[in-house]
Amino acid sequence: MSAIHTWACFLLCISFSTQDKTPAVTVVCAVSEDCVLPCSFHPGSNETIQWFRQGLGVYTFKRGDGSEDGRNKGHEQLAGRGSIYPPLVSHGNATLIIRRSGLKDRGTYRCHVSTSEGEQNAKVIVKVEAPIQGLSLDLSRLSGYEEMKCTVRNVFPAPRVTWTTEPRTFEELRPITRMLADKHGLYTVDSRLKRLNGRPDLLYICRVSSSYGGPAWTTSLRVREIRGTQGRDLTLPCKAPDYLTHPHLQWSFSNGEDPSHILTYDTKSGHSVSSATWGNHVELDRFKVEFGDGSLRLMDPRHSQHSGSFVCVFSAPHSMHTERNDVTINELMGERSSSEASYWWVAGLVIAVLVLVLVGVLAYLKLRGSASKHTKDPEEAAELHLVKDSTEGSGPLAVSSTNRPSGVQNTSELT
């Protein structure tokens, strides 16, 4: 008797477990887009369709007498956003459509259909995500040192961020990642990695993936400084990493103003479009581009026109690689020397002219002074000549009498 009782309990447990284990379908919906919850059943008549979320009713549809029309009843949780398509009910389709789905619509839904043929159930697990739409990677100096900043906005669930370098480095990478959610539950992710010292040509790779699966997004950046000489051709390197296949190539230039387009190249079609402004200054080897080498040849560079940032971007679905070449074009020493020599030549000429003018003025003044001596009054000249003759004709006695004191008389006068 106990054996029969045991077998009965065993079969009953199996029956209950079979009823509870309704096959579930997982649906991943995007935020603000329509979400489709499938449900099919064996057609009958007098259908009553009920949708439940976490055990609470969210939608009800009833139809009688085999008519195509029925009564829809949306519950507060869906707020009029849920509906089915009545003409499909007679064909065994009770699919529920939730318009403008949001994070609050996540959960486990159950579709219960009652017809003249019996009752049927279906289970749907709904996941709502805000997929990654774009990823940016920049070089920042706001923290007092150079760091790579990887940013993704308005995503759900919170993604996973990983960093690598190419080539690989033995130093441990220690990024700092912050995730902030807004009032709608969407995340903004900011991950920063300090730039390694002594490795200026290192490639930094940021990879972001969602826990719901789907494609991971990858972006990478390399920044280098290049110096060139005015008038001498210069090669600006740009090579696609291994994770990119058949990427789209684009070059642009900026020197503190809005970036200007240089050229674009589509590796699939082999079609290239270049700017008329840069057509005579750049050259791209299309054969090398097919192998991931998008290096650009800058011809006859000028200091004033071509000193700035040349940016190369390789892009593919969910992937992007950027190389920024900060270029400084130096002037030729010969040109600088010639310009300086011409400057000093002009300055020397001006000084020589000034000296000649000054010498001329002095000569003129001297000649004028000599001429004035020869044009004095004749009477004055005669008087000067007589005084000179009387002075020369007097003897020593005359000189002494002239020079004796006024109080002393001559002895000849006393006698």
Side-chain angles (χ1 to χ4, degrees):
M1 189 69 182
S2 59
I4 297 175
H5 179 72
T6 302
W7 275 104
C9 291
F10 177 72
L11 293 175
L12 186 63
C13 291
I14 292 178
S15 176
F16 285 150
S17 62
T18 304
Q19 292 179 1
D20 292 339
K21 291 183 178 179
T22 303
V25 176
T26 300
V27 175
V28 179
C29 303
V31 170
S32 301
E33 296 183 4
D34 292 349
C35 187
V36 180
L37 283 63
C39 178
S40 59
F41 60 94
H42 297 291
S45 60
N46 299 324
E47 296 93 344
T48 297
I49 300 172
Q50 292 178 293
W51 277 93
F52 300 88
R53 176 182 176 273
Q54 310 294 109
L56 299 177
V58 294
Y59 184 83
T60 302
F61 173 86
K62 289 184 179 181
R63 190 184 65 157
D65 301 329
S67 62
E68 292 294 328
D69 298 328
R71 294 186 295 108
N72 293 308
K73 182 180 179 182
H75 292 254
E76 184 178 354
Q77 288 193 18
L78 293 183
R81 295 181 296 114
S83 64
I84 64 173
Y85 190 49
L88 296 180
V89 173
S90 60
H91 299 283
N93 190 334
T95 296
L96 177 67
I97 300 176
I98 302 176
R99 295 182 297 275
R100 304 181 306 278
S101 62
L103 299 181
K104 61 183 180 180
D105 297 322
R106 294 173 295 157
T108 301
Y109 289 75
R110 183 170 62 90
C111 173
H112 177 77
V113 181
S114 176
T115 68
S116 57
E117 303 296 328
E119 297 183 355
Q120 301 169 54
N121 291 283
K123 186 184 293 185
V124 180
I125 299 174
V126 175
K127 296 181 178 181
V128 179
E129 70 169 349
I132 302 170
Q133 300 294 335
L135 192 61
S136 65
L137 182 58
D138 302 298
L139 178 62
S140 173
R141 296 180 176 89
L142 297 179
S143 300
Y145 51 82
E146 291 185 333
E147 61 182 359
M148 296 293 172
K149 179 183 176 182
C150 184
T151 306
V152 59
R153 303 181 186 278
N154 300 324
V155 295
F156 184 89
R160 181 172 178 263
V161 182
T162 57
W163 287 87
T164 55
T165 61
E166 190 177 299
R168 296 278 183 171
T169 177
F170 293 103
E171 284 190 60
E172 182 181 359
L173 302 179
R174 298 179 180 178
I176 299 177
T177 303
R178 297 182 178 90
M179 301 187 184
L180 299 176
D182 61 12
K183 62 181 180 180
H184 302 292
L186 303 181
Y187 286 93
T188 294
V189 182
D190 184 335
S191 185
R192 303 185 181 215
L193 177 65
K194 187 176 180 180
R195 197 177 183 189
L196 301 180
N197 295 327
R199 305 292 297 274
D201 203 39
L202 200 62
L203 177 65
Y204 294 85
I205 305 172
C206 175
R207 190 171 186 269
V208 180
S209 57
S210 173
S211 59
Y212 281 176
W217 284 68
T218 306
T219 182
S220 54
L221 175 64
R222 177 185 281 121
V223 179
R224 62 169 66 88
E225 294 184 359
I226 297 177
R227 291 187 175 274
T229 303
Q230 182 165 281
R232 297 180 182 176
D233 293 358
L234 181 66
T235 299
L236 307 177
C238 181
K239 294 185 179 180
D242 295 336
Y243 65 83
L244 281 174
T245 55
H246 303 293
H248 179 81
L249 173 64
Q250 178 176 340
W251 274 96
S252 62
F253 171 76
S254 174
N255 58 353
E257 301 177 354
D258 294 336
S260 62
H261 172 260
I262 298 179
L263 62 84
T264 56
Y265 183 83
D266 188 355
T267 55
K268 292 183 178 180
S269 64
H271 184 61
S272 176
V273 177
S274 59
S275 171
T277 306
W278 290 89
N280 296 328
H281 287 284
V282 295
E283 186 179 57
L284 183 70
D285 191 333
R286 298 186 180 184
F287 178 76
K288 291 183 178 180
V289 176
E290 299 295 332
F291 295 93
D293 187 351
S295 299
L296 192 69
R297 184 184 178 190
L298 182 62
M299 298 179 292
D300 191 25
R302 301 283 97 187
H303 168 73
S304 58
Q305 300 177 10
H306 303 129
S307 292
S309 295
F310 288 83
V311 179
C312 159
V313 178
F314 275 110
S315 58
H318 311 115
S319 301
M320 183 173 65
H321 169 65
T322 304
E323 294 200 13
R324 195 183 81 195
N325 298 300
D326 295 332
V327 177
T328 301
I329 303 298
N330 298 320
E331 293 181 313
L332 283 172
M333 295 302 296
E335 294 181 2
R336 185 181 302 178
S337 301
S338 62
S339 62
E340 292 178 355
S342 62
Y343 168 78
W344 286 113
W345 181 83
V346 173
L349 180 61
V350 172
I351 293 173
V353 171
L354 292 176
V355 170
L356 290 175
V357 171
L358 181 60
V359 170
V361 170
L362 292 176
Y364 171 75
L365 293 176
K366 186 175 180 180
L367 292 175
R368 185 177 179 182
S370 300
S372 64
K373 290 181 180 180
H374 292 288
T375 58
K376 286 185 178 181
D377 190 0
E379 296 181 355
E380 182 181 357
E383 291 179 359
L384 291 174
H385 183 70
L386 291 175
V387 171
K388 182 177 180 182
D389 291 342
S390 62
T391 304
E392 292 177 352
S394 302
L397 182 60
V399 175
S400 62
S401 65
T402 305
N403 292 332
R404 69 172 180 266
S406 59
V408 180
Q409 296 182 357
N410 197 322
T411 55
S412 60
E413 294 179 357
L414 292 178
T415 55

